[in-house]
Amino acid sequence: MDKWDHLKLWYKQPAQQWVEALPVGCGRLGAMVFGGVQTDHIQFNEDTLWTGKPHDYAHKGAVKYLSQIRQLLFDGQQKKAEDLAFKHFMSEPHRQKAYQPCGDLHLSFPGHENASRYRRELDLDTAIATTTYRVNGIVFKREVFASYPAQVIVIHLSASEPGHIAVHAALSSPHSQIHKRVVGDRHIALKGKIQNGAMTFETRLVAHTEGGHLVATAEGVDIHGADSATFILTVTTNFKSYRSLGADPAKRCDRVIKGVRQKSFALLKTEHITDHQSLFRRMSLDIGDPIDEPTDQRLKRLPRRDDPHLIGLCFQFGRYLLIASSRPGSQPANLQGIWNDRLLPPWDSKWTVNINTEMNYWPAESCNLSPCHEPLFDMLSDVAQTGQKVAKEHYGSRGWVLHHNTDLWRGAAPINASNHGIWPTGGAWLCQHLWWHYQYTLNKDFLRTRAYPIMKGAAEFFADTLILDPRTGKLISSPSNSPENGGLVAGPAMDHQIIRDLFSNCIAASRVLRVDTAFRKCLLALKKRITPNQIGRMGQLQEWLEDVDDPENKHRHVSHLWGLHPGCEITAEGTPELFEAAQKSLSFRGDEGTGWSMGWKINFYARFRHGDHALQMLCRQLKLVDGTQTSTRGGGGTYPNFFDAHPPFQIDGNFGATAGIAEMLLQNHTGEIHLLPALPSAWPSGMVEGLRARGGIELDITWQKGRLQQVIIYPTQNGNHTVRYGDKRITIKLKAKRAYILNQNLDIINA
């Protein structure tokens, strides 16, 4: 069997709930395919459709209250500080805007009441959702995919015998201000306006048939007696940038439709598969044989039966989702990637940057999807601009700042409530992704023109805003919080870990680029003065300046372990005492949590090199959650369609799991390429191809009976690298575009 053939989610029944439907996407467009028989439903999104309009969220004059807020915190008056901050230091308005659904395509099939041999599937390798069934001896097939090259969603209907395709296709939208019209004899449109904002959009549906009869009206398209039918669906909006609207959705749709008008379904499909596989096939993972059972049944049985192949499917599903929701030119993957069916989505389906957005992109570099990182960098360029005004108005500082959320309009000021919204290190954390991209690609042009200017601006902000703790004489961040736990405070450990990492990366970047010597020296001096990590009375890593951690606190965030992961300042060999204290803190937090929280803990345990516990967390995260369970109380799990369940659905847990599996197989955050650092005993044999390491390196790793058998290293640039397996180490001078094969003893057997 081809190694790509078994990467399918499949089911014996149509989706009844949205979290049972199957996702397709091309970065800008996303759709959820239900796969019904008599009636099918395809719910779709366009990534720039939001409530609101261009808006400056900065609170003018907020800086006048900064010193008073800080003093109240030093005096132990937390409630007074929060009340004052809520009145005078928050975003205007207090809340940001919401990502919106666009519309729905409804397909009706007369005479399909008594179907048999039903199957629906999502092929991760081709990125096509397929529904098949038999009616009166005829096999009917529907294929749905979202094409990045064509920027359309394609729906193809076929049958095993000619002349049997009959369907009514209609467009609808949950928005109240809509207008339908006929554009041509095969072409209909739905125009809409967002009720709470200034955004408009247009949806186009174009039908093509082989044989049969087709009639298009404003209410839909009717097809009878066709051999096959293809629908082309696209959506555009009036969005130009976070600063301006005014584009013409109708003209944009015309351009998209014109680009595919002469293309057959076969050509559209081929171009789509070629494009998708150019990313997806960069990596493969084999840790077990496939089991021929529906995916929902495999999820249900996972806690009771070993199914390592399902873990491999989980890994590749995360990579699939990143390809589908984040492509160059699109918006970044938000809290739900790109898929949303609600006018009031959970947490507005924004970009929450106190972990969730960052977790979305943890697999981007290590899992060989570097181009999918691009939309995040584009957003960072935007918030570096909006955050500049917030830095000035709220803190009187240079540089730029982003708090714990942003939206399409690139809000950067603290939102919602002061006890969790005032957290100034969101932008600094996102800057880590700029540095990662450079480390993995060694692209100096990217570092010089895109990454370093943004990183420098974030560092300038903290160079201006770090203040002395009068008790210790050390620098701290204030006001802030330890997300989203404990309220407004001065000096949470997470802030200091992130700021030290930002300073370190800026220092390294300035050396690579040979610029800003004076600024580099400034950051070096400031970094030494930042309050260090502290070990508390219970042997735990302290979350705050004061030793007040509660061992009974099971909060979903484990923010003070940032320096362990995704940071790199807490390591087994480099800081053994802190490493042990971090383990104590994680033990106190426990293994429960939301989906994304479990995803983070998988990565923690991988960094602790506890492979079996990391796998235990992964299986806990994959616990099947009923599609009707949408409580915001958390509890974690996985919906039948493999979406991560907070619940409700948040996509970050999917990406956290994928990144965690990669961390179990390869780590190189300490400067070494550490092979199989947290291999679970349940994966005795396997192979991974295409894992990426810092320094422009790609690796294929094979293991048997729990032991490394072989690693092949493919460097893209010259350099000296240390490879580690267990206690064995070897330093190799690698030359670009050559393959180096090492055996289980790390002996080079071919180069």
Side-chain angles (χ1 to χ4, degrees), residues 37-38 111-118 132-136:
V37 178
Q38 292 175 263
H112 286 206
E113 292 82 3
N114 300 312
S116 62
R117 300 187 187 181
Y118 177 92
T132 58
Y133 54 85
R134 184 182 295 266
V135 176
N136 298 326

Side-chain angles (χ1 to χ4, degrees), residues 59-62 65 68-69 79-94 394 414 416-419 422 488:
H59 190 143
K60 291 184 178 180
Y65 300 90
Q68 190 176 349
I69 294 167
K79 183 64 168 58
K80 288 185 178 179
E82 289 176 351
D83 289 346
L84 181 65
F86 185 75
K87 291 179 182 177
H88 299 292
F89 204 76
M90 304 301 290
S91 167
E92 291 188 323
H94 279 185
H394 289 244
N416 296 349
S418 58
N419 65 351
I422 299 177
L488 195 63

Side-chain angles (χ1 to χ4, degrees), residues 47-74:
D47 68 354
T48 63
L49 192 63
W50 288 65
T51 59
K53 59 184 178 181
H55 179 74
D56 175 13
Y57 287 99
H59 190 143
K60 291 184 178 180
V63 67
K64 292 185 295 184
Y65 300 90
L66 178 61
S67 295
Q68 190 176 349
I69 294 167
R70 286 171 167 169
Q71 190 59 52
L72 287 169
L73 291 174
F74 279 137

Side-chain angles (χ1 to χ4, degrees), residues 3 85 409 453 618 713:
K3 64 183 178 182
W409 316 114
L618 183 55
I713 303 174

Side-chain angles (χ1 to χ4, degrees), residues 175-194:
H175 301 285
S176 58
Q177 301 180 55
I178 61 171
H179 172 70
K180 299 178 181 179
R181 73 182 193 278
V182 176
V183 179
D185 57 354
R186 298 172 177 268
H187 189 168
I188 62 174
L190 183 152
K191 183 177 181 180
K193 184 178 186 300
I194 302 300

Side-chain angles (χ1 to χ4, degrees), residues 92 203 235 306 345 385 438 450 528 609 711 723 735 747:
E92 291 188 323
T203 301
V235 188
D306 183 34
Q385 297 298 315
Y438 168 72
R450 296 188 67 187
K528 294 176 183 177
R609 302 171 193 166
V711 58
V723 181
K735 294 186 178 180
D747 298 323

